Amino acid sequence: MSGFAAKRRPIAKYRNGRFVEEEDEIALEFPLTITVNGEEFATIVCTPAHLDELVIGFLASEGVIRTYSDIKGMSIDGERGFAYVELAAGGLPAKQFYAKRFIGSCCGKSRQFYFYNDVKTAKTIVGGIAVKADDCIRLMKALHEQSTDFAATGGLHNAALATPDGIVAIRSDIGRHNALDKLYGYCLRHQVAVKDKLIVFSGRVSSEVLLKAAKMGVSVLLSKSAPTTLALDLADELGITVVGFLRGQVFNVYTHESRIIIG
């Protein structure tokens, strides 16, 4: 289900000292309630495009499934805003682990807090790919040029799965984390390997965004915007290269610089 990301709406546009009646493209905001084995699991406020991938990626990110084959059946009622998922293995993991904070320690320093399920699903990246600096710049330019939904509305976040050679898939959503879940769902549904892939992202790199990347298993995250301190602490620990403020010919490398090649 690809769906639509925007809807036209009449507006009064102020221009040259007067109002002019026009139509504008407005980003759609849509509540989707996910039920798993007949039990309500979560409601996601999202853009109603690629909802099947969003559900798959969200459930994987939450630790409910590990592979697409863990889903026995799935149907989406786009009119009423419901996704119905039946798991192949039966019941959900224990409820008490959802939204439960976990605090641990690592290497003698205070480890950053996760949700309990993040501990089970976030991957520490070993190895990973190397990316030329020029390729980083080119990929961000490609994301911008191919982000048609953002160009129409100005209200969406964009995330792309890419190799150093080019863009593989782009997904958009009003929620930056939703855009990444859609990419995760795309990878699981189509059995796309991510070891040779990276993420190109339009939004701020928060801890939640960083953890989404770690759960997918990608080693490099390129962003047009800024990171947060907690995101960088997690990136240091989980072995992910974070590049931020990638605009024009300039960018900052915040963690694991060795994967970015100059020349």
Side-chain angles (χ1 to χ4, degrees):
M1 180 179 180
S2 57
F4 300 93
K7 183 178 181 179
R8 296 192 70 83
R9 183 183 180 94
I11 65 167
K13 191 178 190 74
Y14 180 77
R15 180 188 292 125
N16 298 326
R18 64 189 184 95
F19 283 116
V20 179
E21 291 186 4
E22 292 188 2
E23 283 194 338
D24 196 14
E25 294 278 353
I26 310 298
L28 285 170
E29 188 172 10
F30 174 85
L32 178 70
T33 298
I34 301 172
T35 66
V36 180
N37 293 343
E39 184 175 347
E40 185 173 317
F41 181 69
T43 296
I44 303 173
V45 179
C46 61
T47 299
H50 303 285
L51 291 179
D52 49 354
E53 294 175 352
L54 174 61
V55 172
I56 296 165
F58 176 76
L59 292 179
S61 184
E62 291 297 306
V64 176
I65 64 170
R66 297 187 65 183
T67 67
Y68 181 54
S69 63
D70 290 336
I71 296 176
K72 183 177 180 180
M74 178 173 64
S75 63
I76 295 177
D77 184 343
E79 292 294 325
R80 297 176 61 238
F82 280 89
Y84 303 98
V85 178
E86 183 181 359
L87 299 180
L92 285 166
K95 281 185 178 180
Q96 67 264 30
F97 293 144
Y98 289 98
K100 183 177 179 64
R101 292 294 186 183
F102 177 94
I103 300 176
S105 61
C106 179
C107 302
K109 62 181 179 179
S110 176
R111 188 172 188 177
Q112 305 305 321
F113 62 83
Y114 298 129
F115 285 110
Y116 182 89
N117 284 313
D118 292 336
V119 178
K120 299 189 299 180
T121 55
K123 306 174 182 71
T124 298
I125 309 300
V126 178
I129 63 172
V131 188
K132 294 179 181 178
D134 288 346
D135 289 336
C136 294
I137 293 167
R138 180 174 51 80
L139 289 170
M140 184 58 69
K141 181 180 179 182
L143 175 67
H144 178 72
E145 290 174 346
Q146 296 181 42
S147 298
T148 54
D149 289 337
F150 174 81
T153 67
L156 298 171
H157 292 283
N158 301 298
L161 187 73
T163 69
D165 294 326
I167 301 291
V168 175
I170 293 179
R171 296 293 180 264
S172 301
D173 202 278
I174 58 169
R176 60 176 66 87
H177 46 285
N178 293 340
L180 291 170
D181 277 339
K182 288 176 179 180
L183 284 182
Y184 197 3
Y186 167 84
C187 291
L188 291 172
R189 188 167 194 175
H190 299 286
Q191 297 183 328
V192 176
V194 297
K195 288 185 178 180
D196 62 339
K197 307 294 191 304
L198 63 148
I199 288 175
V200 191
F201 191 55
S202 66
R204 184 179 71 252
V205 181
S206 64
S207 58
E208 184 179 24
V209 166
L210 194 283
L211 285 170
K212 296 283 187 185
K215 291 172 182 183
M216 290 178 66
V218 298
S219 58
V220 177
L221 174 58
L222 310 180
S223 173
K224 183 180 180 180
S225 192
T228 67
T229 56
L230 180 53
L232 296 182
D233 289 342
L234 290 170
D236 269 329
E237 182 178 328
L238 295 171
I240 296 175
T241 299
V242 174
V243 174
F245 286 108
L246 206 172
R247 302 171 183 182
Q249 300 293 311
V250 179
F251 59 80
N252 299 336
V253 184
Y254 293 93
T255 57
H256 300 280
E257 179 186 342
S258 62
R259 292 196 184 99
I260 307 301
I261 302 169
I262 297 176

